[in-house]
């Protein structure tokens, strides 16, 4: 992703601003010169006055020359890649072109980066010939997901004597997106894909037979072999059988973002594991042809998402995954205290497979989550075990009666409920869900391959 920065010869203020760029050496020369001139007038020493004037004029002359410098330098920045998983490195390529007819002097190139990405990179560029080009690069890395601005690029000019430094900034910047870690998930066999047929509508046939076929009016180009003569005679117009087309399997991933449902912060916190798990499941199901949707406890979803979620193949699938990863990169705790808004969104009908990453549940929220099972073809819940995340391992095992009771409520409602303990990986939890599927959640299913 290239981001050109125009106009390297920007005005940053008047001559007073240029004076502020005096270095320690320049300020010392100016102070010594002024002091020498004052002493020369007091003592009546003409030679000392000449020396003082020379010391005072030299830094001022350097400021004037540097301020009047007419370098025309353009810069650009390229990220490789622009979207990187947490804990991975990205490389930033900087390019500087001298588009003037004069060679430049000594240049210092500096890029602004947030502190979480590492130290601010600085590069010293020697003389750049007219029409010349210099390319440098540096690496950035963050363990915290988010969107981080890079830039603007700064160019620092210095005179040969080191008396003055002027900084000129470019106007553009780029954004590095650090997305959650996505773990490859193994193919397992669980339930929950939508099985509807018939012009994209959900309908059921009471009995198998020709009388139960729901016809529609004839359209130009329909195959005459699909004409339904009995309905044609009944309605007095040409009727044809509906073309049976299987619906795309659907999967909704519910991410619980309630601030009170998680303890701790940082890359190893329970909330980050939940976000990483949601990202892994979304990518896994999208790659396997499912129509996927991301839903939070607030009832919100990914901007630009269709009514049935994201679907597609090839480039469309990659773009859909990118939009969902961008949303998860900046997702944060919500102020909500319950899951009722998400339940209201799910009340619209069969949601296919429902995969939920839930924080700590009280009895009321466990009841709401149990009702969600009725709105899906299959349901898998990964529920935070608060005892293992709050207590240190040295404290010994903690009683989890309340947590086990919440899991029991979900399982009785038809969920495949998995307890999420500290140190667990998303792939292992995914396998555990396959091992623990019981009751109504395991009666039907297709392999997710």
């Amino acid at each position: 992703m290239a981001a050109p920065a125009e106009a390297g010869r920007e005005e940053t203020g008047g001559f007073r601003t240029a004076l502020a760029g005096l270095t320690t050496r320049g300020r010392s020369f100016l102070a010594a010169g002024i002091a020498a001139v004052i002493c020369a007038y007091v003592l009546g020493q003409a030679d000392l006055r000449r020396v003082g004037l020379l010391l005072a004029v030299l830094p001022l002359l350097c400021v004037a020359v540097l301020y009047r410098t007419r370098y025309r330098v353009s810069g650009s920045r390229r990220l490789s890649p622009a979207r990187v998983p947490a804990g991975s490195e990205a490389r930033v390529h900087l390019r500087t072109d001298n588009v003037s007819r004069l060679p430049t002097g000594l240049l210092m190139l500096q890029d602004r980066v947030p502190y979480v990405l590492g130290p601010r990179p600085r590069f010293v560029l020697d003389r750049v010939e007219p029409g010349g080009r210099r390319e440098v690069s540096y690496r950035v890395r963050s363990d915290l997901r988010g969107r981080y601005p890079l830039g603007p690029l700064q160019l620092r000019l210095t005179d040969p004597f080191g008396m003055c430094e002027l900084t000129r900034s470019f106007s553009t910047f780029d954004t590095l997106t650090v997305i959650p870690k996505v773990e490859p998930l193994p193919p397992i066999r669980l339930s929950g894909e939508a099985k509807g047929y018939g012009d994209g509508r959900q309908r059921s046939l009471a009995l198998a037979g020709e009388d139960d076929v729901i016809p529609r009016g004839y359209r130009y180009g329909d195959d005459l072999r699909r004409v339904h003569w009995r309905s044609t005679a009944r309605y007095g117009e040409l009727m044809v059988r509906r073309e049976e087309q299987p619906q795309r399997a659907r999967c909704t991933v519910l991410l619980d973002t309630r601030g009170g449902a998680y303890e701790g912060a940082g890359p190893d916190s329970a909330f980050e594991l939940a976000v990483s798990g949601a990202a892994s499941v979304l990518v896994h199901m999208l790659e396997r042809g499912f129509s996927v949707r991301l839903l939070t406890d607030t009832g919100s979803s990914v901007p630009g998402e269709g009514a049935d979620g994201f679907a597609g193949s090839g480039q469309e699938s990659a773009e859909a995954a990118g939009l969902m990863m961008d949303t998860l990169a900046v997702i944060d705790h919500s102020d909500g205290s319950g899951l009722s808004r998400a339940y209201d969104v799910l009340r619209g009908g069969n949601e296919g497979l429902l995969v939920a990453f839930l924080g700590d549940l009280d009895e009321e929220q466990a009841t709401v989550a149990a009702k969600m099972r009725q709105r899906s073809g299959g349901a898998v819940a990964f529920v935070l075990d608060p005892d293992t995340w709050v207590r240190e391992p040295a404290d010994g095992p903690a009683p989890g009666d309340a947590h086990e009771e919440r899991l029991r409520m979900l399982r009785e409602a038809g969920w495949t409920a998995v307890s999420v303990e500290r140190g667990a990986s998303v792939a292992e939890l995914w396998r555990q869900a396959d091992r623990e599927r019981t009751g109504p959640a395991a009666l039907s299913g297709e392999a997710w391959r």
Side-chain angles (χ1 to χ4, degrees):
M1 183 178 68
E6 298 293 338
R9 186 171 60 96
E10 297 185 7
E11 297 294 336
T12 57
F15 191 75
R16 181 178 301 178
T17 303
L19 286 175
L22 283 172
T23 62
T24 302
R25 178 185 299 176
R27 294 176 186 274
S28 301
F29 268 67
L30 183 60
I34 294 175
V37 171
I38 294 176
C39 292
Y41 276 107
V42 173
L43 300 176
Q45 296 291 329
D47 294 337
L48 182 59
R49 184 169 61 251
R50 296 188 185 95
V51 174
L53 289 174
L54 177 62
L55 293 177
V57 169
L58 182 59
L60 297 178
L61 184 62
C62 291
V63 169
V65 172
L66 198 61
Y67 175 71
R68 298 295 297 177
T69 298
R70 289 297 182 262
Y71 294 150
R72 295 183 58 197
V73 179
S74 66
S76 64
R77 182 190 300 103
R78 180 172 56 87
L79 306 182
S80 178
R83 185 185 291 118
V84 61
S88 300
E89 289 186 345
R91 183 168 289 275
V92 183
H93 302 269
L94 302 178
R95 171 177 163 177
T96 304
D97 295 272
N98 182 14
V99 296
S100 66
R101 298 181 180 179
L102 299 175
T104 68
L106 190 66
L107 303 177
M108 177 178 288
L109 203 62
Q110 178 176 278
D111 205 9
R112 290 186 179 181
V113 299
Y115 71 94
V116 296
L117 297 182
R120 180 172 297 183
R122 294 182 176 90
F123 304 93
V124 177
L125 304 181
D126 205 350
R127 177 180 178 275
V128 182
E129 65 280 2
R133 175 190 306 170
R134 297 291 185 272
E135 295 184 2
V136 294
S137 64
Y138 64 92
R139 294 178 295 180
V140 291
R141 179 181 182 274
S142 175
D143 292 327
L144 299 175
R145 56 187 175 81
R147 294 174 62 88
Y148 301 102
L150 300 179
L153 192 63
Q154 292 181 332
L155 194 64
R156 181 173 297 178
L157 310 177
T158 61
D159 65 279
F161 301 102
M163 298 287 182
C164 181
E165 291 182 352
L166 292 183
T167 301
R168 294 173 178 173
S169 298
F170 296 87
S171 58
T172 60
F173 63 90
D174 284 308
T175 301
L176 175 67
T177 303
V178 181
I179 63 175
K181 293 181 180 179
V182 177
E183 296 188 28
L185 302 182
I188 63 176
R189 188 179 182 86
L190 288 172
S191 64
E193 57 208 86
K195 296 291 186 181
Y197 288 88
D199 281 0
R201 301 177 184 176
Q202 292 181 351
R203 62 185 181 92
S204 59
L205 303 181
L207 295 172
E210 187 176 346
D211 293 339
D212 296 315
V213 177
I214 301 178
R216 61 168 174 81
Y218 174 82
R219 299 171 186 170
Y220 179 78
D222 284 340
D223 190 349
L224 293 178
R225 290 176 296 181
R226 296 200 296 116
V227 174
H228 193 256
W229 298 108
R230 181 175 298 181
S231 298
T232 299
R234 178 183 303 174
Y235 294 104
E237 60 177 312
L238 203 58
M239 306 292 289
V240 297
R241 298 181 180 87
R242 291 181 183 273
E243 184 179 14
E244 296 187 353
Q245 295 178 346
Q247 290 183 340
R248 180 182 292 271
R250 300 175 61 185
C251 175
T252 298
V253 177
L254 172 61
L255 177 60
D256 183 7
T257 63
R258 295 173 298 140
Y262 300 91
E263 295 288 343
D268 296 327
S269 63
F271 182 65
E272 293 303 319
L273 177 62
V275 174
S276 177
S280 302
V281 173
L282 286 169
V283 173
H284 178 79
M285 303 305 290
L286 188 63
E287 290 176 348
R288 278 141 189 82
F290 278 66
S291 176
V292 298
R293 178 173 66 157
L294 173 64
L295 182 67
T296 66
D297 58 290
T298 61
S300 60
S301 57
V302 180
E305 188 179 82
D308 293 333
F310 287 107
S313 59
Q315 184 65 25
E316 294 181 0
S317 178
E319 293 176 358
L323 288 175
M324 291 186 290
M325 293 303 104
D326 289 345
T327 300
L328 290 175
V330 296
I331 201 167
D332 202 355
H333 291 293
S334 67
D335 297 331
S337 58
L339 302 173
S340 57
R341 293 182 182 177
Y343 174 69
D344 293 337
V345 174
L346 294 175
R347 292 176 64 181
N350 187 0
E351 296 297 328
L353 177 67
L354 176 61
V355 181
F357 290 86
L358 306 174
D360 188 15
L361 297 176
D362 56 20
E363 184 175 359
E364 179 182 358
Q365 301 311 317
T367 302
V368 175
K371 294 179 180 179
M372 294 180 183
R373 175 63 181 87
Q374 305 171 1
R375 307 294 175 180
S376 63
V380 182
F382 300 95
V383 186
L384 170 71
D385 183 358
D387 295 323
T388 62
W389 288 91
V390 176
R391 296 169 62 91
E392 295 295 333
D395 297 337
D401 294 341
H403 177 64
E404 291 298 330
E405 176 63 21
R406 308 295 182 258
L407 293 179
R408 185 188 63 80
M409 292 176 60
L410 294 178
R411 287 165 181 162
E412 289 181 351
W415 285 83
T416 298
V418 178
S419 177
V420 180
E421 301 180 354
R422 178 188 289 272
S425 67
V426 179
E428 178 56 34
L429 294 173
W430 195 246
R431 295 189 186 93
Q432 186 177 350
D434 184 35
R435 294 193 297 266
E436 294 189 4
R437 56 192 175 97
T438 57
L443 292 179
S444 64
E446 295 290 339
W448 297 350
R449 297 167 189 242

